[in-house]
Amino acid sequence: LNQVRARCHEMSRSNASNNQEHHTQEMGLQWLIMRRGESFTIQLHFNRCFHSGNDYIIFVAERDEPAPAQDKVHLKGNVWSASDFTIHANSLFVSLFTPANAVMGPYTLKMEISQGPGHSTTHPLGTFILEILLQEYIMMDYVFVYNGHERVITPWPWNYRQFEEDMIDICFQILNKSLYFLENPTKDYSQWNNVVYVCRVVSAMINGNDDSGVLQESWREDYSPGVSPLEWMGSVLVPMLFFSLVMRCLGVPTRVVSNFHSAHNVDANLTIDTYYDQHAEMLPTQKRDKIWNFHVWNECWMIQKDLPPGYNGWQVLDPTPQQTSSGLFHCGPASVKAIREGKVHLPYNTPFVYAEVNADEVVWLLEDGQAQELLAHIISSIRKEISTKMVGSDQSQNITSSYKYPEVAWGSREERSVFMKASWKMLGPWKAPLPFLDLLGSGGFEDQLAQLQLYLTRKAEWGQDLLPKLNAGSLADRAQPQGPICLVMHFCAQTLLHDGGTWEPLWRQIVHLTLDFGEETQWLLLLPYNNYRNKLMDEKLICVSGIAKVEETGRSMLVLKDISLGPPRLSTEVSERAEVGKALRVHILFTNTLSVALSHCTMVLEGNQITHKHLGTLVARHTIQIQLDLYPHQSRTPPAASPHQQQQIKIIKGYKYIFVAAGRAS
C-alpha cells in the first residue's frame, strides 16, 4: 500500500452524501460538516487490494491546537472510533464515529498505513467540521422577531442565511478573535467542547464594547453613522441577530425572545423608579434604571453541569448587555427555570435577568428635586409579555409563564412569594431597610378616593388625531365623608423612546372634575395630529400621563396610557407556484392612507436576493402596485419581506411566506 489516492478531492466526493445524512447539505459541499455523536463514511482508494490481516490503518483527527484530554481517551461508547469496514476491489469503505462531547470546530483527518509493526506512512485525507444535533432550532434559516408594544406586537421577518457559503468560516473567525483565544489559544481551544464556554465567548464577541466585536451598540436614538435597527432585514446585512445565527451554525439550538416592558435594573434593587412633576410630565433622571419598550435576547438549549437537576434546558443569553460580567460585556447563560423559581444564586447573571422580567415600578411625584409622594407601586408593569416564534407558525408564542408565575394586578401568592425570596437573596436586611422590603411585598393603595382609567375611543393610526378618553369614578372610603370630591387633572403627552425615556411634552391639557359619591363620568380628550407629526421616533410611541390632585385631601393619583401608532400596511401576493430556477412574479400593493404625501420612498425586497427600487413621492390616499420577478435558487421557504422607506414614517414592513419547490427534472 505504498500509494493511496484518498486526498481532499476524494474525501469531498463523500461530502454530498455525508452532509445530507447529517442535515448540513445546505451549507454547501466545500466542507464536510458533521453533527457530533454520529458517524460519517469515507471511501479510500489504494493501488492494490486491501488485506485486513496484514495491512494496518490508524485514523488521526487533529485540530490546529492539541485536543483536550478526554478526546484522546479510548473507552467503549461515546469515543472516537472506526467501524463497518467494507472492502471492494482496491477500495475500502469505513465509518468514523465522533463523540457527542468532542470539541466543535475544524479537524484535519489523516491516515497512518503500515504492514505490521514496521515503518508507517501518513497521508492527509481532508478536513471536516463538527456540529451538534438538534433539529428544531438549528435548521430553520429564518425567524420572526417580535417588537412594538405588548398590545400591538409586530412581527419582523428575519433571514439568518446561515447556509451561505462562507458563514461557517465566519463563525469560527469570530471565535478565533476572542480575547480568550488571543490570550491563550491552546486553553481556549480546549474549552470548545463546553457549550457554556462557547456561548459566553460568542455573547461577548457579538457586541463591540470591549473586544472589537461584531456590533457597535447605540442605546440612544441617534444611530449615525450606522443604520436604525428598524431598517435592518437580516443577519447578513446587519448583525443584530448574529448571536443566534452563529450558535445555530455551531449546532446549538437557539431561539430569539422579546421581553416587552423590559426592566434594566442597574443597582439590582428590583425596583425601577420613575418620576413625574405636578403637571404630569415624566422627568429625566440620572439613573440608568429604565423600563425598555422591549428588549431582545436569545435562549439556547443546553445542559449546565454546575446546575442542580431540573434546571437545564432553555438558558438566557444576551449578547447586547449594558454592563459587564467577569470583566466583559456578556450575559448568561441563565436558566429560565431558575429565573421562574427565583434561584438568583445560580449562574450566570441570573439576578440581572431576573430583574429584567420581575422588577417592580415605583412612581414618585417630584417637587423641588425631592420625591414628595409615592404615586404608584406597579407590580405588573414589567414583563407584560415575553414572546418567541411559535413552532411551525409565523405567530408569536407567549412564554411568560416559563419565566414567572401568573400574576394579577397586585401579584399572585406564588409570584409574590418567589419575588420576596429573590429580594432577600439579592438585597437582604443589610442592603435595604425593612420598610423597603415591606413595600416590595405589599399590594396597591387601599385609600384612593377615585379610580382613573385612560383608553382610546378608536384605533390609533399615524396621520390621525388621537382621541383618548378619561373614565373617572368616585370610590367609597371609610376615612372620608360620603360627599363630592374635586379633582384638578393635568394631562401630558410625550414621545416615548425605546429605552423608556421621554422627550419634552408635545401636548398638555387641564381638566377640572367634580365627582359625587359613587358617581362615574367620562371626559374626551383631543391630541391633534399636528402636535406629534414631526416629533416621534421610529417606533411611533406616545406616553400619555395624567395626575389628579384631590382638593379635599391634597393627595395625588396617577393614570397612564401608552399609545402605539400603526403605519400604513403593505400587501405582498404571489399568483403562481414558486419553483427553483423559474421566474416568480410578486405583486406588492401599498396604499398611503395618510392625509399627507410620503416623500423619498424606496422599496427593498429581500428573499434569496435583494432588490432596490426608487418610488419617489406617494400621493396622499393613493394606491400603487409594483410587480417584480424573482428567481429562487434554493428549495426552502424564506419569507419575502418588503420594507418601504420614506422620511415621515421612516420604515414600513410587510412580508409574504413563500414555499419554494425543487425544480422539475428535465
Side-chain angles (χ1 to χ4, degrees), residues 462 493-497 503-507 529-538 540-542 648:
W462 176 266
Q494 297 170 267
T495 299
L496 184 60
L497 308 180
W503 282 349
E504 62 183 20
L506 52 85
W507 169 85
Y529 168 54
N530 285 335
N531 282 62
Y532 69 80
R533 177 178 178 179
N534 298 315
K535 298 181 180 179
L536 302 187
M537 294 306 297
D538 293 344
K540 300 296 183 288
L541 291 171
I542 298 175
Q648 293 92 334

Side-chain angles (χ1 to χ4, degrees), residues 462-473:
W462 176 266
Q464 305 294 325
D465 294 341
L466 303 179
L467 300 175
K469 181 177 283 189
L470 171 69
N471 189 86

Side-chain angles (χ1 to χ4, degrees), residues 35-36 168 176 270 274 282 358 496 569 604:
R35 306 292 190 190
R36 299 189 297 179
I168 193 72
N176 288 336
L270 288 178
T274 308
M282 183 190 291
N358 281 285
L496 184 60
R569 295 184 177 273
V604 181

Side-chain angles (χ1 to χ4, degrees), residues 647-663:
Q647 288 187 334
Q648 293 92 334
I649 299 183
K650 190 66 174 177
I651 190 77
I652 302 169
K653 288 188 177 183
Y655 67 90
K656 179 69 176 180
Y657 185 88
I658 302 172
F659 176 79
V660 181

